[in-house]
Structure formats: structure tokens, C-alpha cells
Amino acid sequence: MPSIQEIRVAEPDAGPYAITVGPDGALWFTLIHAGTIGRLDPKTAELTGRTLENPAAGPAIITTGRDGALWFTESKSHRIGRLDPKAGVLESYGPDEDTEDGPFGITAGFDGELWYTEMAANRVVRLDPASGELTNFPLPLAGAMPSMITTAADGGVWFTANQANSVGRIDAKSGELKLMELPTANAAPVGIAAGPDAIWFVEIGAGQIGRIGFDGGLTEYPLPDRGSRPHAIAPGPEGMWFTEWGANRVGHITPAGEIEVYALPTPDSEPHGLVYGPDNAVWVALETGVLARITP
């Protein structure tokens, strides 16, 4: 049984939502309801934060770019934010006109670019930070709701299409976009992450973990509790870690599909994003103002 420690980082209504490891080895996380990017040093426990110019921007998913900056989606102001952890400079990217495109998932690309999803606009977008140029990749199915996104060793940009019951892939070089429909109806995939030889994702509607090998093979692994509402997934040693948002648990799945789940100490803590940290622990964003540290 792993050790689980809970660390309060914000007020209960601030909502830690997503989390990543920055280039400085610190944990950076979004406070989606407070319009803030938080930082926790896992060595010293020093806690700092940077509130956005628009506190109602709704920072959702966060990732570290190839340029060493923190990039995040502003889900309510419909823009992409960039925070330089050294200089402390905040920047914002997006179209010149006001939109309601609903940016959500974001991932670093292969050549310094960023890729993100726009749930309301039903597309994936490529952002070139050097020029600010935006390239749109519309999904072929209306209302597909692209959600989380990741890059993989096969040269693809993979994403979940929640309402299309599919996982999509864009070839980063050619721009070719394909959707793979899942065999389980109403699976509603959300979180997605890349492993060394496959893509892993969670099915919030079906209570399953999915795997698509780079060879094209697809496997679904039912969770012990099919109503647990798995939300996010991230790589760690010997497999993947995932959150069960509806059951207040965190789980682990091995490459062979063996699953274990662990209850969080505080009831109704709403686990969302997670990341494997530099201290060999799994860190989980709990929307009740807490980060959980899990030592496997």
C-alpha cells in the first residue's frame, strides 16, 4: 500500500486542476477557479503563485514547453498562456478577435510548437510561438469535443474526442488527421498519455483504461469499479497512473493490464490531473485545494 500525504496549496474553492513538472524541478499547477498558476518546490515545500491578469481566465491544463516555459490553456478567456519561470513574465496567445473556442488540453510539440484542443470549436490547433501563427485542424465529426492531447514517440499528436467516442491522431509532419472509434459505446474518453510503445487513455463513461499500440492494436481494460469515472492518466515507472474522479481514488495499471486502486484519505476530494515527480512520487491535483503526494 503506497503512502499518501495531502498538502494544502489553496482555498477549497480554488480548484487545483492540472499539474506538471517544470524545468526547475518544481511542481506547477493550475488553480482553475482562482485564475492562478501555483508552484510547489517538492524539496523545500515552498509554495508560491502567480495570478493571471484576468482572474476569471480559467487556467485548465498545463505543460512544459521545449522552450522551458510553462504553457497552459485559459478555458474561459479562450487563450493560451505562457509563463517564463525564470523571468516571471506572463504572455498570452490567441486569435485577435474575441472567441468562445474553449481551449482545454495542451501538449508540447516536436519542434518548439504547442498543440492544443478547442472543445467548443471542435478542432485541434498548432501554435508556433515564434510567429504566433495558428494552424487549425478541424475534426471530421461535428460535436466531437476534442479534450486531452499528448505527443508520442511515433511522431503523432494524439487526442481524445470525448463525444465522438474516439481517439484521434494527427501526423505532426504531414498534418493527416485520423479518428479511431472505440469498441465500447459511450466510453467518452478524456485523459490521454503516451508510453514508450503505445497511447493510454481513460474512458470516463465506461470505467475503463484503453491502450492503442503504435502497431494499431487496441485493448480496453475494465476497472474494478466501472462507475469510478476515470479522468486523467500519466506515465510513471512500470506503467501508468490514473485518477478516479467519481470514486475518490488513484490507480495504477501495468503494461500487462494489471490494475490496483488506492483510496484518497479525504472524502470527496475530486482528483483530476496527476504527474510523476522528480522525487519519485506521484502528485495529484485535488479540486478541494490540495495536492496529494503518493509514494509507490
Side-chain angles (χ1 to χ4, degrees), residues 125-208:
V125 182
R126 181 188 186 275
L127 165 63
D128 183 341
S131 65
E133 180 183 2
L134 302 174
T135 306
N136 296 326
F137 296 84
L139 270 60
L141 298 176
M145 206 168 89
S147 301
M148 303 287 200
I149 190 167
T150 190
T151 45
D154 69 337
V157 180
W158 293 77
F159 59 94
T160 51
N162 179 266
Q163 291 301 295
N165 208 52
S166 301
V167 171
R169 181 187 185 275
I170 299 173
D171 187 292
K173 290 186 177 180
S174 70
E176 180 185 18
L177 189 156
K178 293 182 179 180
L179 289 179
M180 178 181 293
E181 187 175 2
L182 302 179
T184 301
N186 303 314
V190 183
I192 191 168
D197 59 355
I199 294 296
W200 293 79
F201 55 95
V202 294
E203 301 177 359
I204 195 170
Q208 298 185 137

Side-chain angles (χ1 to χ4, degrees), residues 207-279:
Q208 298 185 137
I209 306 295
R211 178 189 184 276
I212 300 176
F214 294 153
D215 59 2
L218 189 154
T219 309
E220 292 175 309
Y221 300 94
L223 295 173
D225 177 2
R226 298 293 293 276
S228 61
R229 309 285 288 174
H231 181 264
I233 190 166
E238 301 179 8
M240 293 278 166
W241 289 81
F242 58 92
T243 52
E244 292 186 336
W245 171 68
N248 203 52
R249 291 189 293 250
V250 174
H252 178 263
I253 183 168
T254 69
E258 298 172 349
I259 296 171
E260 293 186 13
V261 294
Y262 310 101
L264 293 166
T266 303
D268 302 319
S269 56
E270 296 192 54
H272 285 295
L274 72 172
V275 70
Y276 191 79
D279 56 347

